[in-house]
Amino acid sequence: MAASTVFSTEPLPPRERAPLWREWVWQHFGGLDSDLYGDPVFDGRITASHAGDVVLTRLEANRHRVLRSGDMARASEAGYLKIVAPWRGRAVVSQQGRETEVQDGDWTIYDTTQHYTVANPDRSDHLIVMLPMARLGRGLPVRALMAQPVGGARGIARVALQTMRSAYQELPQMSEAAARGAGEPILHTVRLTLQEMAGQPGAESRRAALQDQVRAYVRRELRDPGLSIEGIAAALGCSKRLLHQAFSGSEYTMAGFILAERLHACQRELRHPAHAHRTVTEIAFSWGFDSSTHFSRAFRAATGRSPQEFRRGG
């Protein structure tokens, strides 16, 4: 499984929390000063995971602010573009003479190779995503896009936000190989968002990004027998027509993709010795099928064998 790194002040004596927190923030974020507003009591928790070369960190802490000076930025070994996307609380990002405030549903991006400050004036619960500059910055007017508010309520910005949040939440359940690939959809959707902000929209790229988001959502919700195109559209904040367009020209329609994913999941469990004690119907129903007749018919159409024959021949 993909590994996570956790730092929490909870087990520490109160007098040791602030200095150790500052030290850990400095190390984890590559040279970053912390100011705790002079509060005598502080508690915080940081949980970090890697999706390939993308670093996703959940930061839960009392009010605080962080600063990277020009000297710190120049001393940094690697350049990142960093995103802050709050679940709770506010983040106020200052860079390039601009200041923007983001809350739940919004995000903003800033450049770790330049001076910046981030103030968190309330108790915060933020997702922080670090993306290698070399993977994202080419061909984009990066300086003009930093510390700009990105509304995550609709469009590709929402797809990017949900992709980041979903990746962070699912990483602990992923294999290391899967985790390495999970950074690519994040890089792709964030880049598309920045392109759109810079006036470089690409309809085909947006269609592909939405298709990626739909595929990820379907795989997360595959066991739900109520999974439907209407529900997916509502969850992703788009129309059913847009979803159908995203899959036009693909190997599967949307309904066909859901069916194929369920059949693949059933095939895996029918082959696996750990599920030998379970009936075919139990396995089918656990993956969202609600009719054994429909399952058997679809299974035979896909594999040329009944589920029982497939299991015996596996």
Side-chain angles (χ1 to χ4, degrees):
M1 307 301 283
S4 295
T5 303
V6 179
F7 174 82
S8 174
T9 61
E10 184 176 358
L12 300 174
R15 67 181 180 279
E16 296 181 10
R17 293 181 177 184
L20 287 175
W21 174 267
R22 291 190 184 97
E23 181 180 341
W24 204 87
V25 167
W26 176 278
Q27 293 174 353
H28 179 66
F29 292 110
L32 202 57
D33 267 342
S34 300
D35 171 33
L36 309 184
Y37 291 98
D39 292 343
V41 178
F42 181 84
D43 68 275
R45 178 183 177 89
I46 294 177
T47 310
S49 300
H50 285 73
D53 49 8
V54 175
V55 185
L56 298 102
T57 303
R58 185 169 190 166
L59 186 150
E60 304 163 86
N62 287 358
R63 65 175 191 155
H64 67 286
R65 56 192 165 203
V66 294
L67 162 72
R68 168 163 278 190
S69 69
D71 288 341
M72 292 176 189
R74 284 189 291 272
S76 176
E77 295 180 0
Y80 285 92
L81 295 178
K82 188 184 286 188
I83 287 168
V84 58
W87 270 296
R88 187 178 69 169
R90 298 172 290 152
V92 182
V93 178
S94 302
Q95 189 171 61
Q96 301 292 342
R98 289 184 291 270
E99 181 175 281
T100 188
E101 179 179 306
V102 288
Q103 303 181 50
D104 181 22
D106 304 322
W107 55 279
T108 191
I109 191 164
Y110 45 104
D111 180 358
T112 65
T113 67
Q114 303 291 326
H115 168 79
Y116 68 84
T117 61
V118 180
N120 305 289
D122 313 304
R123 173 77 186 180
S124 58
D125 182 357
H126 299 339
L127 177 63
I128 300 169
V129 183
M130 297 173 64
L131 309 117
M133 179 84 72
R135 300 286 311 279
L136 197 62
R138 296 191 186 108
L140 286 170
V142 170
R143 291 176 66 88
L145 300 174
M146 298 300 99
Q148 299 277 21
V150 184
R154 64 180 66 86
I156 190 62
R158 179 174 179 175
V159 173
L161 178 60
Q162 292 184 335
T163 301
M164 292 184 282
R165 287 179 169 179
S166 297
Y168 173 80
Q169 290 166 340
E170 297 301 326
L171 275 170
Q173 284 74 52
M174 291 184 192
S175 67
E176 290 187 8
R180 284 194 295 272
E184 295 305 316
I186 297 173
L187 288 161
H188 184 56
T189 54
V190 169
R191 183 174 180 83
L192 288 174
T193 303
L194 298 182
Q195 286 176 336
E196 191 164 74
M197 290 172 64
Q200 304 174 26
E204 186 62 25
S205 295
R206 288 197 299 273
R207 186 184 72 83
L210 179 57
Q211 188 181 118
D212 287 344
Q213 182 70 1
V214 171
R215 290 175 184 273
Y217 180 86
V218 166
R219 286 167 179 148
R220 289 198 307 273
E221 304 297 327
L222 201 57
R223 293 184 184 272
D224 180 4
L227 181 64
S228 66
I229 295 172
E230 291 80 4
I232 297 169
L236 300 186
C238 62
S239 67
K240 293 189 292 181
R241 179 183 177 189
L242 192 61
L243 293 183
H244 287 301
Q245 288 176 347
F247 278 78
S248 63
S250 301
E251 179 183 3
Y252 297 113
T253 63
M254 273 202 61
F257 174 70
I258 294 171
L259 177 61
E261 287 293 302
R262 283 179 167 154
L263 289 171
H264 291 158
C266 291
Q267 288 175 40
R268 288 194 300 271
E269 293 197 355
L270 286 170
R271 287 194 187 106
H272 202 292
H275 299 280
H277 66 286
R278 301 174 68 200
T279 68
V280 168
T281 301
E282 282 180 310
I283 290 173
F285 279 37
S286 74
W287 285 104
F289 287 98
D290 57 6
S291 164
S292 56
T293 302
H294 172 232
F295 169 67
S296 296
R297 188 184 303 120
F299 196 96
R300 184 179 288 277
T303 67
R305 290 182 284 177
S306 71
Q308 292 82 358
E309 291 168 342
F310 182 88
R311 173 175 254 180
R312 288 196 297 269

